[in-house]
């Protein structure tokens, strides 16, 4: 019908009706001119639209759900640069309050009101800061004793997260690796102590080993190092990489000693954006006492009556995560965190128990100390199956689930594991849906007439063509 009032040019096109939407998105050069904001928005939004929904990403450790108030607070503080402490001293003080709360959750003995610790962008930076401090303390001791300090090393299990390899390479520090094995599914304490010498800056214990979800026995390590140090006169300390456990243990296993209650634990790091329940990127590192944080690593300034310490490797960064963390502390309190972590662990235990009932699978461990479930194919099933866990990973991806399959580190590299992170937002109901999808995928795979390419590759021991995830949930082509 002819609309008499229609005047050409009045009606603006819908975003999808514009010429701009017919153009390819820029790849190499900045476009010549501007684009309407609604069109630009749509183009950018659509480019990531086909990705998994974060809440179906069971590969990541990182928080994928926060409530509306937290999200609002974080969006509202997106324009605040944390580093501008003079302009935003209240953010700096809030950060220091979070450091105090973390230190007390980990049973710090420090009596100073403002605890020694630092904000980081994640556990990677936090681990790095803890280890650098240990290195500098060791250099100090060696200098005082008139001994060389050019060959530092540290000891860690092969279950380490990739940041430790970076630490070793970037700062030229030898990484002595204690292999994981079928008998020693976490750090073998005797072996670790045997690897120590006068040049060892620290032993790193992991609470929530990224590959398996298990915890190193820090209490046993502490006792063994105490004996070792007494016998040798060395002062080998412990840094606990508690990326996951730092926010699980205090709430669910408060009686377990893994933290500053132990003599040689001098620093602990965690990810605020993992079970700290904050969107990325946020990490924390705390020292047992100010005296373990080398003075030349830190600037301390007084703001509004608080001692604020700046230690990070980064300069500018958003303040939003600090507001997010402080909000979660106030919103949830100890009880609330405990409830959330309890539910995550219960869902993990439920998944663990259901997988154990499936004839194809066996859980990697009997224990579920963290909300992380890892399993593998039963060796006798693997002998005859026409598929691998990489095929199951692909099948689940078709339902939107990201469940990574990956090979274990050297020594047990033939072992392929699958892992699910049971985070806040992965409910019992979603877990049942996942289990249903696993069961129907397995039924389809079992009915295959011919082996899959990954199965053939495994047979021939040739490199897999399948997309694989590394142990931190990052996808890599192998
Ligand atoms: C995730 C993880 C890291 C790295 O943490 P980010 O927060 O991603 O920087 C380090 N160590 C362990 C044990 C981890 O699980």
């Amino acid at each position: 019908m002819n609309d008499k009032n229609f005047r050409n040019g009045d009606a603006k096109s819908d975003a999808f009706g514009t010429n701009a939407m017919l153009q390819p998105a820029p790849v190499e050069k900045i476009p010549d001119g501007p684009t309407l904001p609604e069109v630009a928005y749509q183009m950018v939004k659509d480019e990531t639209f086909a990705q998994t929904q974060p809440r179906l990403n069971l590969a990541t450790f990182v928080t994928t759900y926060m409530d509306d108030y937290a999200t609002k607070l974080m969006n509202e503080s997106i324009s605040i640069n944390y580093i501008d402490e003079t302009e935003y001293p209240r953010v700096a003080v809030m950060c220091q309050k979070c450091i105090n709360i973390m230190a007390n959750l980990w049973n710090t003995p420090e009596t100073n009101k403002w605890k020694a610790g630092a904000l980081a962008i994640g556990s990677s930076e936090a681990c790095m800061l803890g280890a650098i401090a240990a290195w500098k303390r060791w250099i100090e001791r060696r200098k005082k004793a008139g001994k060389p300090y050019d060959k530092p090393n540290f000891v860690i299990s092969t279950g380490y997260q990739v940041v430790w390899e970076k630490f070793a390479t970037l700062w030229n520090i030898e990484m002595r690796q204690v292999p994981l094995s079928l008998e020693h599914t976490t750090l073998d304490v005797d072996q670790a102590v045997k690897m120590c010498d006068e040049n060892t800056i620290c032993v790193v214990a992991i609470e929530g080993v990224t590959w398996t979800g298990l915890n190193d026995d820090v209490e046993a390590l502490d006792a063994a190092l105490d004996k070792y140090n007494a016998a040798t006169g060395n002062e080998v300390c412990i840094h606990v990489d508690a990326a996951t456990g730092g926010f699980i243990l205090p709430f669910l296993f408060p009686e377990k000693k893994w933290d500053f209650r132990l003599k040689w634990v001098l620093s602990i790091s965690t990810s605020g954006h993992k079970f700290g329940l904050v969107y990325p990127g946020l990490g924390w590192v705390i020292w047992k006492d100010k005296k373990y944080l080398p003075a030349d690593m830190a600037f301390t300034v007084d703001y509004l009556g608080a001692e604020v310490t700046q230690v990070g490797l980064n300069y500018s960064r958003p303040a939003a995560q600090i507001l997010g963390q402080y909000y979660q502390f106030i919103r949830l309190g100890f009880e609330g965190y405990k409830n959330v972590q309890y539910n995550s662990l219960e869902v993990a235990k439920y998944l663990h128990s259901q997988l154990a009932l499936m004839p194809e699978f066996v859980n990697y461990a009997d224990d579920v100390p963290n909300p992380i479930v890892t399993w593998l194919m039963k060796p006798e099933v693997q002998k005859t199956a026409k598929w691998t866990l990489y095929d199951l990973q692909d099948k689940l991806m078709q339902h939107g689930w990201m469940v990574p399959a990956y090979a274990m580190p050297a020594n047990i590299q033939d072992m392929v594991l699958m892992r699910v992170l049971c985070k806040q937002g992965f409910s019992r109901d979603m877990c049942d849906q996942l289990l249903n999808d696993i069961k129907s995928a397995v039924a389809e795979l079992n009915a295959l007439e011919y082996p899959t390419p990954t199965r053939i590759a495994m047979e021939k021991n040739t490199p897999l063509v399948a997309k694989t995830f590394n142990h931190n949930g990052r996808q890599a082509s192998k």
Side-chain angles (χ1 to χ4, degrees):
M1 230 175 66
N2 201 13
D3 177 356
K4 285 198 189 100
N5 295 323
F6 175 82
R7 282 177 295 139
N8 201 11
D10 257 6
K12 297 295 177 215
S13 288
D14 172 77
F16 287 106
T18 57
N19 283 338
M21 280 307 265
L22 281 180
Q23 305 308 311
V27 176
E28 285 172 28
K29 282 167 65 187
I30 188 168
D32 290 339
T35 304
L36 283 172
E38 56 271 36
V39 173
Y41 171 86
Q42 201 63 51
M43 287 181 94
V44 175
K45 183 92 183 163
D46 290 359
E47 202 150 318
T48 52
F49 188 66
Q51 285 180 170
T52 304
Q53 295 302 305
R55 286 192 45 208
L56 298 181
N57 181 359
L58 307 180
T60 185
F61 284 69
V62 169
T63 299
T64 47
Y65 168 84
M66 288 182 87
D67 73 24
D68 290 344
Y69 285 103
T71 310
K72 182 171 146 68
L73 264 178
M74 289 183 72
N75 283 338
E76 286 166 357
S77 50
I78 202 146
S79 55
I80 296 176
N81 188 357
Y82 158 77
I83 209 69
D84 295 339
E85 289 177 344
T86 336
E87 296 89 323
Y88 311 118
R90 283 167 207 278
V91 172
V93 174
M94 188 182 287
C95 178
Q96 190 56 50
K97 289 178 183 175
C98 289
I99 288 171
N100 281 355
I101 290 171
M102 296 307 310
N104 282 314
L105 277 174
W106 297 338
N107 297 294
T108 178
E110 180 159 3
T111 48
N112 183 20
K113 175 169 179 195
W114 303 101
K115 314 301 181 202
L119 166 77
I121 206 78
S123 274
S124 309
E125 188 191 2
C127 289
M128 204 70 88
L129 291 170
I132 291 171
W135 178 31
K136 290 178 80 71
R137 295 195 303 266
W138 170 82
I139 291 175
E140 249 347 272
R141 282 199 308 278
R142 298 286 291 176
K143 277 186 180 166
K144 266 198 194 132
K147 290 184 175 159
Y149 47 90
D150 57 341
K151 288 199 171 54
N153 70 68
F154 71 104
V155 177
I156 193 167
S157 92
T158 51
Y160 65 83
Q161 203 267 359
V162 64
V163 61
W164 291 107
E165 220 166 274
K166 277 194 197 170
F167 172 71
T169 343
L170 292 180
W171 312 102
N172 249 321
I173 296 179
E174 186 198 344
M175 175 160 73
R176 297 190 173 165
Q177 304 180 32
V178 186
L180 292 181
S181 64
L182 295 179
E183 307 78 56
H184 292 284
T185 52
T186 58
L187 179 75
D188 177 348
V189 167
D190 293 338
Q191 278 248 96
V193 173
K194 274 193 198 122
M195 285 186 186
C196 292
D197 59 24
E198 58 179 0
N199 291 320
T200 304
I201 62 169
C202 69
V203 178
V204 176
I206 309 170
E207 294 302 271
V209 174
T210 329
W211 307 63
T212 63
L214 300 180
N215 290 331
D216 287 344
D217 187 345
V218 196
E219 194 170 12
L221 176 65
D222 183 69
L225 278 179
D226 197 40
K227 261 196 207 151
Y228 168 86
N229 286 337
T232 58
N234 292 341
E235 290 180 42
V236 177
C237 68
I238 302 170
H239 174 86
V240 186
D241 174 357
T244 297
F247 272 101
I248 298 292
L249 291 159
F251 300 108
L252 297 185
F253 307 101
E255 68 296 333
K256 188 178 141 89
K257 289 199 181 112
W258 64 279
D259 54 14
F260 293 127
R261 285 168 289 183
L262 300 175
K263 182 172 171 188
W264 293 99
V265 173
L266 302 189
S267 53
I268 303 175
S269 54
T270 196
S271 297
H273 58 211
K274 289 184 178 175
F275 289 89
L277 309 179
V278 179
Y279 289 139
L282 181 67
W284 301 105
V285 54
I286 309 289
W287 285 271
K288 189 176 210 162
D289 189 281
K290 226 183 193 61
K291 66 176 181 239
Y292 300 116
L293 171 58
D296 58 355
M297 270 180 79
F299 307 90
T300 300
V301 188
D302 249 48
Y303 288 118
L304 314 169
E307 260 174 56
V308 172
T309 309
Q310 232 291 342
V311 191
L313 293 171
N314 293 290
Y315 198 66
S316 296
R317 58 153 295 156
Q321 291 82 0
I322 298 163
L323 276 77
Q325 183 78 79
Y326 198 53
Y327 169 82
Q328 292 290 48
F329 284 147
I330 294 173
R331 161 73 187 114
L332 296 171
F334 188 90
E335 198 61 36
Y337 263 95
K338 189 173 163 178
N339 290 341
V340 170
Q341 317 301 40
Y342 177 85
N343 278 12
S344 297
L345 194 65
E346 283 302 300
V347 170
K349 285 183 187 163
Y350 170 68
L351 178 60
H352 184 268
S353 70
Q354 294 301 301
L355 288 167
L357 299 177
M358 294 187 64
E360 291 82 5
F361 302 136
V362 56
N363 283 305
Y364 179 75
D366 295 333
D367 279 357
V368 191
N370 288 295
I372 300 169
V373 183
T374 51
W375 71 94
L376 55 158
M377 237 194 225
K378 276 184 191 155
E380 62 270 26
V381 175
Q382 189 164 1
K383 273 193 199 117
T384 54
K386 296 193 176 65
W387 53 280
T388 68
L389 291 178
Y390 296 108
D391 299 309
L392 179 56
Q393 171 189 298
D394 279 350
K395 285 255 175 225
L396 293 174
M397 223 182 266
Q398 291 166 14
H399 294 274
W401 303 109
M402 285 294 184
V403 182
Y406 51 91
M408 290 291 276
N411 200 40
I412 44 174
Q413 70 273 22
D414 289 341
M415 204 182 239
V416 175
L417 255 60
M418 222 169 190
R419 184 188 67 199
V420 166
L421 258 290
C422 301
K423 301 179 292 276
Q424 165 164 244
F426 182 62
S427 60
R428 159 66 195 256
D429 177 46
M430 284 173 77
C431 184
D432 275 325
Q433 294 175 41
L434 174 71
L435 277 162
N436 277 336
D437 288 340
I438 291 178
K439 282 174 195 158
S440 54
V442 166
E444 277 177 47
L445 290 166
N446 279 341
L448 286 178
E449 202 171 334
Y450 300 106
T452 65
T454 64
R455 180 66 186 114
I456 294 168
M458 192 173 270
E459 189 98 337
K460 291 195 200 146
N461 220 355
T462 51
L464 291 169
V465 283
K467 294 246 171 148
T468 60
F469 288 81
N470 73 18
H471 51 274
N472 201 21
R474 292 194 195 100
Q475 204 175 29
S477 274
K478 227 184 168 182

